[in-house]
Amino acid sequence: MKRVRAVFIAAVLGVLGPAAAQAAEAAQPAPRPLYRDPLHDGAADAALVYNRGTQRWEMFTTNRRATLRLPDAKDVRWVHGTRIGIAATDDGQHWRSVGLAQFPPECSGPTDWAPEIVEHEGTYHLWLTVVPGDPDTHTRWQGTRHLQHLTSTDLRTWRCEERLELGSPRAIDAAVVRLPPALGGGWRLWFKDEAQGSRLFQADSPNLRRWTVRGPVTTQAGEGAKVFFFAGRWWLVADLWRGLLVMRSDDAATWQEQPTRLLAEPGRHATDRAKGQHPDVVVRGDRAFLFYFVHQGGEPEAQADERFHQRSVIQVAELQLQDGWLVVDRDAPPPDLRGLFGAGQAPR
């Protein structure tokens, strides 16, 4: 292999010249999958954040108990009893587990889902979906849930803030953005209300603590919304369990739905052979990157292990604009993240 690689580099040098060859040699797509959790092999619901203390990017994930074997196929205890995992990277390409998030027990639960993190004026604000109750009693999708606000200055030691009052006993999956002055300033929150058909709703706040619900955003069920500003527009991407919904807006309030879904069809490559789910999107300059999770039911191991489909991994692909809408090619080589998510490469 070393000789083949040397011959290839020599050929490139002869055709392209030293400068172009150096660039070709330097190109390195991210691995597929981008991240696999070593504890339960159930990483999902990624939320990326830049840790200014360590000067590196981190990824908070729902850490499902994917290796738990249950005789009843409808038993969902494996997605309960979950704590939030943390992964970190030094180069953007290679992610490693750095343990579990430690939240105060008085405002977290035995089951924590779907972290959302925003930094504002040196403080990290995290919204956590908390499912109270003994995880071993959650054999079905039942019980109450709520969104809990926490704050930290270092992404490790957390302080309980308010429990969000959104008029629902089953509000989950927060997405939060800061609105520019041209749109009135303040903050906007999107969440899934399972008590109202699992539709997505939005709420506004002047201070990240008091929220006023403004009403539904979607007419269909969905979850795991992510809202971001890219290419001169606001975008909302959410999980419909049959591909990712995309909507665009000029004011982050009135939305137009994209005719097509993202990641509805399985990919061709190993570990990416199922629909893409519950995304995060990070915009870096004029580029946008989609971080999504994929169940492993399409892998060869699932033929011999009926519970292998519970496992999930994090993948990454770059979003592109085509005819005014978002597209993604999950079968293309993953993007090289080293110049964007490496150590010291803080958000601009």
Side-chain angles (χ1 to χ4, degrees):
M1 287 298 297
K2 290 183 178 179
R3 183 176 182 277
V4 171
R5 184 168 178 267
V7 170
F8 170 76
I9 293 173
V12 170
L13 279 169
V15 174
L16 301 179
Q22 184 177 5
E25 171 71 2
Q28 180 181 326
R32 186 186 279 117
L34 182 68
Y35 178 66
R36 191 159 205 157
D37 190 273
L39 183 59
H40 297 303
D41 204 16
D45 311 342
L48 275 74
V49 61
Y50 183 75
N51 187 327
R52 295 192 180 276
T54 62
Q55 297 188 10
R56 66 186 182 189
W57 284 85
E58 295 183 346
M59 181 192 304
F60 284 56
T61 66
T62 302
N63 194 20
R64 295 170 164 186
R65 297 188 293 168
T67 54
L68 186 64
R69 305 192 68 81
L70 300 165
D72 181 356
K74 295 182 179 180
D75 193 324
V76 295
R77 279 179 287 173
W78 63 279
V79 293
H80 294 79
T82 52
R83 298 178 64 188
I84 300 301
I86 308 174
T89 184
D90 293 315
D91 63 359
Q93 300 284 72
H94 303 95
W95 294 77
R96 65 189 183 280
S97 172
V98 292
L100 298 172
Q102 302 298 318
F103 300 130
E106 58 268 27
C107 65
S108 60
T111 299
D112 294 331
W113 292 338
E116 165 75 340
I117 307 175
V118 171
E119 184 198 5
H120 178 54
E121 296 180 345
T123 297
Y124 298 97
H125 295 260
L126 182 145
W127 291 268
L128 189 65
T129 297
V130 177
V131 184
D134 182 350
D136 287 330
T137 66
H138 288 286
T139 59
R140 298 294 186 267
W141 299 105
Q142 61 197 33
T144 62
R145 305 90 153 78
H146 64 267
L147 289 172
Q148 175 67 45
H149 179 203
L150 301 93
T151 56
S152 174
T153 57
D154 62 2
L155 291 172
R156 293 297 181 271
T157 302
W158 293 93
R159 172 182 173 179
C160 298
E161 301 293 348
E162 77 288 344
R163 171 174 165 170
L164 276 64
E165 299 298 334
L166 300 169
S168 173
R170 294 171 65 92
I172 71 171
D173 293 359
V176 178
V177 300
R178 188 179 188 184
L179 298 176
L183 296 181
W187 300 83
R188 185 155 291 159
L189 160 76
W190 290 262
F191 64 97
K192 174 189 178 184
D193 189 343
E194 293 184 317
Q196 297 197 61
S198 291
R199 292 176 294 164
L200 302 180
F201 283 70
Q202 67 184 32
D204 288 340
S205 172
N207 57 10
L208 287 173
R209 286 174 169 78
R210 298 190 313 273
W211 296 94
T212 301
V213 178
R214 300 301 186 191
V217 177
T218 61
T219 58
Q220 58 192 314
E223 67 182 15
K226 182 66 182 183
V227 179
F228 55 100
F229 189 78
F230 173 61
R233 279 185 163 140
W234 291 94
W235 299 90
L236 184 152
V237 180
D239 187 356
L240 297 182
W241 313 293
R242 56 185 187 279
L244 302 181
L245 168 73
V246 177
M247 298 196 295
R248 67 185 181 191
S249 173
D250 292 325
D251 59 5
T254 303
W255 298 91
Q256 180 184 9
E257 184 175 336
Q258 179 167 306
T260 57
R261 307 279 180 261
L262 301 181
L263 306 180
E265 298 301 323
R268 296 199 309 265
H269 295 283
T271 73
D272 197 31
R273 293 183 281 223
K275 62 191 175 186
Q277 297 191 251
H278 199 125
D280 191 16
V281 176
V282 181
V283 177
R284 301 289 278 131
D286 60 354
R287 302 174 70 186
F289 300 91
L290 181 72
F291 297 82
Y292 59 98
F293 84 82
V294 180
H295 279 294
Q296 297 300 285
E299 302 310 306
E301 295 92 333
Q303 300 300 316
D305 182 352
E306 64 180 1
R307 309 309 296 177
F308 199 81
H309 71 278
Q310 295 176 171
R311 299 169 185 255
S312 55
V313 300
I314 305 298
Q315 309 280 9
V316 64
E318 185 166 1
L319 291 169
Q320 305 285 351
L321 278 177
Q322 181 176 300
D323 299 325
W325 292 108
L326 295 180
V327 296
V328 64
D329 182 359
R330 70 190 304 174
D331 294 324
D336 187 335
L337 303 179
R338 289 175 300 169
L340 298 165
F341 292 89
Q345 294 170 333
R348 292 189 290 273

